[in-house]
Each structure stands twice: as structure tokens, then as C-alpha cells.
Amino acid sequence: MLEVKNVTIKIQEKVIIKNLSFNLHSGDCLAIIGEEGTGKTTLLKALIGQLELQWIDGQIVCRAKRIGYLKQNLEEDLANSVFDYLYESQDDYYRKINLYYKLIKDLHLREDIQEVSSISVLSGGEKVKLQLLKILLQEPDLLIFDEPTNDLDLSTLLWLEQFIKKQKIPIIYVSHDERLLTATANQILHLEMIHNKSEPRWTYKKMGYNEYINTRDRYLKHATMVAKKEQHLYQKKKEKLDRITQKVEHAQNVISRRYPGEAAKLKKKIHSLKAQEKRMQNQSISEKPMVEDAIFFQFNPVLLPQRKEILKLDLPVLKIDNKVLSRNLHLHILGNKHIVIVGKNGVGKTTLLKFILHQLQLRSDLKVGYMPQNYDELWNPMDTPLDFLNVDFNNEEIGKVRSYLGNMNFSKEEMTTNMKYLSGGTKAKLIFLKFVLDGCNVLLLDEPTRNVSPLSIPVICQMLQSYGGAIISISHDRNFIEQVCQEKYELSKEGLKRIY
């Protein structure tokens, strides 16, 4: 169905992917994983023919008649009506009407969704569902999804898992969702861009996600142990050779004038030792394997009194414009409580979080950090990471921030790159770093793991779990909810209900 032969992708002289090869057949479900900026979305665009041909070398052979491609966002379609987005004509609508009603039930979409006059008014999750609806109405024979779980509510996420598992057609997807990866993938393509290395690398395995991660961990541990052992032995040999060389050179200096014959022998010995040293320098020694997994940092200690009131919310009506979303909302948060708000797509979770943000920003006794779904709300697209982090441009401050960025695998070029060119996951890392540098003691997080590699999510969860401040979050990431959040609330039309 799909054959990729020795494909290299180069953008503006930078090699993103090199000599990639794999085949995809019926029943194959390939998950593409990797850290931010490794070319996952770029590869998907190449596979469906949306990448400039001059950027691609190699061969991509696709025998699919209809490819269903789910993008990360619908920016260019936001002004369209839902009906115009879904159908080519009225006749097209009537041909697909039975399938339409089946799919909106599966996707938990309201029946009148096609009457919405502008896609822009839909929630993030509704936009993802709308894309899925359009794709499945076309009955494709190859599915390519770019972060399909972004913003989906739990019920639709569970449906999507079952849908993918039941498919006989080949599927390729990029996702940060570890549960989805574990449940559905039977092949893994891992793209890596190693820090301070000029070329990317990739690993392709016909195995499930958990098996791949366990195999990779065993390899890294073994390779690290071998490298340490070889480097230790090399260092011991070198130290011994250095000691002998120093003794011989000292002896030569002492006796060279009195005993010319002995001096000649010592000179010959030194030549022999130098040759041994050169052979050692040319000896191949295993290096500790370099991995691209993001290296994060820990929050500075945050001390909030257990009884300190962070939020007391008594909201009679939650609405957006003139539309009432929910009524009688009550939420009381004390101290360093970590809470999550869940609910169906479009119920008003993001609207509620923004309302809470405005309330907390009025407080002078709290330092609030906010991560929106759309990161670009926080900066000018021409800003650089250093601009966003508010570096004062003295040498000490710049050095400190550059050190942080280096620990997060930012190259020197990325530190001064315009924000509009950075990947979503890279932007997410910057926001977390901003929280640290600003000393935030309250975090408002709207889907904090939505753009982050599954290899980094466990590190983020660990970091947030140990965070000493308060967290008010929206998430459908089951691992994040279980590991980070102490209280869970569900938002519905009737208000907020505590689940645990």
C-alpha cells in the first residue's frame, strides 16, 4: 500500500530525515514518535504529497486511492461553514446521509453540527472531531493522523482507540498519547535529532510501543555500561603509560650527558612509548549512547500554606458571548492542591479556565503561570525564545537561560529562532521554563501534554507531580490525570461535579 525507499528530506540545507525506508500493508498501524522538531509532521506531509518536491530525495510509492489526512489544526478552514467543509455539494450530502448520522453518534457530535455557520466558533475538540467526520465520510483506504487525540474528550478518545484497533486498512499516526500508542500501534518509527549532532537518525521496528520502549531501555543501559567499562580501562592504561613515559623522560634528562649509550636506549624507549600512545588515541572506544529525550529541570521549591485560599469560585452562569455553557459553578481550592477539570468537548472548559485566570491575575499575593491550548497567545511570532523568557541581556542572565535551554536540547540556533518556526512541543518546553524562571506558585494548564513527545511526558508528569504550588488543569491525558492530579472535576451544563 505504501513504500518508502531511501527518502531524505532537507529543508533550507538542513537534513531533517536521512535515507528512511519502510513498507506499510493492510492491517499495519505505524506510530511515529520522537521529540519536538524531529520532522514527524514534515514526514506526514511528504507522504501525502504536500511537501515541496525539491526538498525530497528518494522514492515514495503510495497505492491508496483515497487518503484520509488529519491535520493538527484547521487554520485555513476556520471561516468555512461546517456544511461546506464536509460536502462538495448537496448531492454529496444525500449520498452520505446515513453514514453521517452513524458517525456523529460514534464521535459524540450533536446532530445539528452541520448547521454551524463558521468552524471558528467550535471548541478545539469539536474541530478534531469534525476533521475525523470528514475523513471517515470519504471512506479512505489509508489513514494518516497528526496528533488525533489532541483535545478529544475521554469518551471519543476511547472510541478512537477501538476504531483504530478494528481497522484493516493501514494507518500511520503521530501521537503523544501513551495509552493510544500502547493499545493500537504494531509498528514504531522513532525519529531522532541528537543535540550537537549534524545528522538525524531513525529506528524502525515491527513491534508494539511498550515492547519498543523496553527494548530501547535495555539497549541504552547495556550500551552505557559497556561504554563506561571501556572508558575506565582506557583511562587506566593511559595513566599507566603516562607514568612510565614520565619516568623514562626523567631518566633521560639525568643520564644523557654522562652515559650517551644509555641515553640512546632511553630515546628509543621514548619513541616506543609515543607509538603506544598514538595507537591508544586511534583505538575505537564505545561512547555513551546519546539520546534525544528532553532533559527537563525541577521547579524551585514553592511553599504555599496548606490553608491558603487560592480560589473560591461561585459563578451563577458560565457563558461565551450570549451562549450559556453551564450554571451554578462552585470550586474551592486551598494550598498546593493539584486539580483537573474534564468534560465533553464544547462544554466550556477552556472558557472556565480563562475566567479563573482573570480572577487570579488580580491577586498580588500569587504568581500565576498560564499555558493555553494555542501557545501563540503568549508571544509575538517574531519573538525568539530569549525574548519570551524576558532575558535582561546581561551576561550572567543570558548564560543562565542558555544553560537551561541547553539542558532542554535547544541548539544555539534555536535559541535565537523566531517562535513561529518552532514546533508545538518546543514551545511547550519554553512555557514550562518560563514558569520556573518566574517563580510561579500557581499554574493554569490547558491540555499541557497535547504537543509533547510521549518520551518526554513521563518526565513532565514527574516534574509536575512534585511541584509545590497549586495546579488547575484541563486534560484528557489519562496518565497525566492519574499521576499529577489529586482531585478531578467534571464540567457539564449543570455545573462542576467532583469525581474524586
Side-chain angles (χ1 to χ4, degrees), residues 32 153 170 226 253 412 444 463:
I32 303 176
D153 53 41
V226 170
N253 291 333
K412 290 183 179 179
L444 271 60
M463 180 180 71

Side-chain angles (χ1 to χ4, degrees), residues 343-361:
K344 294 180 179 180
N345 294 130
V347 75
K349 300 184 296 295
T350 293
T351 303
L352 174 60
L353 194 68
K354 287 184 176 180
F355 179 85
I356 294 172
L357 173 66
H358 294 321
Q359 298 299 306
L360 296 185
Q361 285 178 332

Side-chain angles (χ1 to χ4, degrees), residues 186-428:
N186 55 32
Q187 298 183 25
I188 301 294
L189 174 60
H190 184 179
L191 303 180
E192 298 180 88
M193 185 71 74
I194 305 302
H195 189 44
N196 291 332
K197 293 288 184 179
S198 58
E199 292 187 347
R201 70 186 186 196
W202 54 270
T203 304
Y204 171 64
K205 295 291 184 181
K206 293 187 176 183
M207 59 178 62
Y209 179 71
N210 280 349
E211 184 181 358
Y212 173 72
I213 293 299
N214 291 335
T215 301
R216 178 175 181 266
D217 287 345
R218 287 195 297 270
Y219 160 74
L220 291 175
K221 288 177 182 176
H222 175 73
T224 300
M225 182 179 67
V226 170
K228 285 182 177 179
K229 185 175 181 180
E230 289 186 9
Q231 290 168 6
H232 177 69
L233 292 174
Y234 174 85
Q235 191 62 31
K236 286 182 67 175
K237 289 181 181 179
K238 186 176 184 305
E239 290 172 357
K240 182 178 179 181
L241 183 63
D242 288 344
R243 286 195 300 271
I244 295 172
T245 302
Q246 289 174 5
K247 288 181 180 179
V248 173
E249 288 177 341
H250 176 72
Q252 185 186 38
N253 291 333
V254 171
I255 67 173
S256 58
R257 293 184 177 181
R258 296 184 181 181
Y259 309 102
E262 291 296 325
K265 291 180 182 179
L266 290 174
K267 187 175 182 180
K268 187 176 180 180
K269 178 68 172 176
I270 288 175
H271 279 302
S272 175
L273 292 170
K274 293 294 184 184
Q276 288 184 52
E277 184 178 11
K278 189 172 183 180
R279 285 196 297 272
M280 282 189 65
Q281 290 173 349
N282 294 330
Q283 180 181 344
S284 177
I285 300 175
S286 300
E287 293 185 358
K288 182 180 177 181
M290 294 185 68
V291 296
E292 94 295 10
D293 299 16
I295 302 171
F296 278 86
F297 39 79
Q298 292 298 320
F299 282 98
N300 297 322
V302 177
L303 297 177
L304 279 175
Q306 291 295 315
R307 303 305 300 171
K308 181 177 178 63
E309 185 172 273
I310 305 301
L311 177 69
K312 188 172 183 179
L313 178 72
D314 293 296
L315 186 63
V317 177
L318 175 69
K319 60 183 180 179
I320 183 168
D321 298 326
N322 293 320
K323 181 182 178 182
V324 175
L325 301 172
S326 183
R327 297 181 184 275
N328 301 318
L329 290 86
H330 306 284
L331 183 60
H332 194 199
I333 300 174
L334 299 176
N336 59 352
K337 193 68 69 178
H338 296 176
I339 79 152
V340 64
I341 299 171
V342 300
K344 294 180 179 180
N345 294 130
V347 75
K349 300 184 296 295
T350 293
T351 303
L352 174 60
L353 194 68
K354 287 184 176 180
F355 179 85
I356 294 172
L357 173 66
H358 294 321
Q359 298 299 306
L360 296 185
Q361 285 178 332
L362 300 174
R363 300 264 298 271
S364 60
D365 59 329
L366 298 177
K367 182 66 177 177
V368 181
Y370 174 54
M371 173 183 277
Q373 280 190 31
N374 179 11
Y375 304 147
D376 294 338
E377 295 176 18
L378 300 179
W379 48 64
N380 183 301
M382 299 306 293
D383 284 348
T384 69
L386 293 177
D387 293 329
F388 170 64
L389 297 172
N390 288 331
V391 176
D392 294 332
F393 295 103
N394 61 68
N395 290 335
E396 182 179 352
E397 186 70 16
I398 291 177
K400 175 184 174 182
V401 171
R402 284 185 178 274
S403 177
Y404 271 120
L405 291 172
N407 285 340
M408 296 165 63
N409 283 348
F410 274 72
S411 66
K412 290 183 179 179
E413 293 75 20
E414 287 175 323
M415 295 180 193
T416 54
T417 297
N418 296 136
M419 300 295 281
K420 66 179 182 178
Y421 296 118
L422 299 180
S423 69
T426 302
K427 293 174 182 177

Side-chain angles (χ1 to χ4, degrees), residues 61-228:
V61 180
C62 182
R63 298 180 180 86
K65 295 179 181 178
R66 295 180 301 278
I67 299 175
Y69 174 52
L70 184 142
K71 300 177 287 186
Q72 282 196 36
N73 55 65
L74 282 171
E75 289 180 0
E76 66 274 23
D77 297 302
L78 293 179
N80 289 342
S81 71
V82 169
F83 188 92
D84 290 340
Y85 174 74
L86 290 176
Y87 306 110
E88 296 178 1
S89 64
Q90 196 77 23
D91 289 341
D92 187 32
Y93 161 68
Y94 286 118
R95 282 194 302 269
K96 298 175 179 177
I97 190 167
N98 291 332
L99 181 57
Y100 166 80
Y101 282 108
K102 177 185 181 301
L103 289 172
I104 62 171
K105 183 178 179 181
D106 289 340
L107 292 166
H108 301 94
L109 280 166
R110 61 183 191 267
E111 290 188 6
D112 64 347
I113 186 74
Q114 62 189 11
E115 298 174 13
V116 174
S117 60
S118 173
I119 294 174
S120 62
V121 304
L122 299 178
S123 71
E126 287 175 321
K127 291 171 186 173
V128 176
K129 291 180 180 182
L130 187 65
Q131 280 200 79
L132 286 169
L133 176 58
K134 179 174 182 175
I135 289 168
L136 299 180
L137 282 172
Q138 296 167 350
E139 300 182 88
D141 47 9
L142 171 63
L143 289 172
I144 298 180
F145 294 157
D146 195 352
E147 296 288 2
T149 64
N150 273 2
D151 307 323
L152 287 184
D153 53 41
L154 183 57
S155 57
T156 310
L157 183 53
L158 294 173
W159 172 84
L160 181 64
E161 279 187 12
Q162 294 304 313
F163 171 82
I164 292 176
K165 289 168 71 173
K166 292 176 182 177
Q167 291 304 299
K168 301 301 181 185
I169 63 174
I171 298 175
I172 304 174
Y173 69 81
V174 173
S175 180
H176 65 274
D177 192 304
E178 295 174 276
R179 297 282 184 92
L180 182 74
L181 291 165
T182 300
T184 61
N186 55 32
Q187 298 183 25
I188 301 294
L189 174 60
H190 184 179
L191 303 180
E192 298 180 88
M193 185 71 74
I194 305 302
H195 189 44
N196 291 332
K197 293 288 184 179
S198 58
E199 292 187 347
R201 70 186 186 196
W202 54 270
T203 304
Y204 171 64
K205 295 291 184 181
K206 293 187 176 183
M207 59 178 62
Y209 179 71
N210 280 349
E211 184 181 358
Y212 173 72
I213 293 299
N214 291 335
T215 301
R216 178 175 181 266
D217 287 345
R218 287 195 297 270
Y219 160 74
L220 291 175
K221 288 177 182 176
H222 175 73
T224 300
M225 182 179 67
V226 170
K228 285 182 177 179

